Amino acid sequence: MAKLSAYGSMLLMDGDPIAQVTGLSGPNLSADTVDVTTHDQAEAWEKHVPTILRSGTVTINIVYDPALADHIAVLAQMVDKDFASFELRFPNPTHNQFVFNAFVTGFTPSAPVDGALTAALTLKITGEPTLYSVYTP
């Protein structure tokens, strides 16, 4: 089983890389379930079936540059309340990526006195993500 470094992972918005990314997390995919336990089943253990698939969110940490075009574009995407196309690319030998549409739903800048100007971005996926896509480097 291969062990892979995350170094070189990237996030693209509408085909353009978002610069100065320090961390990526998500999507936190999940499935809702409903209890279908009945009185006449043989055992007294609860039973569930999956219902709605939840696409979750993606969190991106960046070294924030308020003058950088792609940082301006991400913030504008949130203000415009419009979704964009995103590609979360992994630096593995087979060039796998997740492709999804998402709204920018969070932008949290941080400016500690003893640190870098950073920001955390939150993306809310809308619709079905493509989880087994391959990109050409």
Side-chain angles (χ1 to χ4, degrees), residues 47-66:
K47 292 191 177 183
H48 290 266
V49 295
T51 58
I52 302 293
L53 295 173
R54 302 289 176 188
S55 51
T57 59
V58 175
T59 303
I60 304 100
N61 297 307
I62 60 173
V63 176
Y64 178 49
D65 180 349

Side-chain angles (χ1 to χ4, degrees), residues 78-111:
M78 184 177 82
V79 171
D80 292 344
K81 299 179 186 176
D82 197 10
F83 69 85
S85 174
F86 290 89
E87 301 167 48
L88 175 53
R89 292 185 174 180
F90 302 107
N92 62 340
T94 53
H95 308 295
N96 296 101
Q97 67 178 351
F98 293 161
V99 178
F100 53 90
N101 291 325
F103 293 94
V104 179
T105 58
F107 177 84
T108 308
S110 178

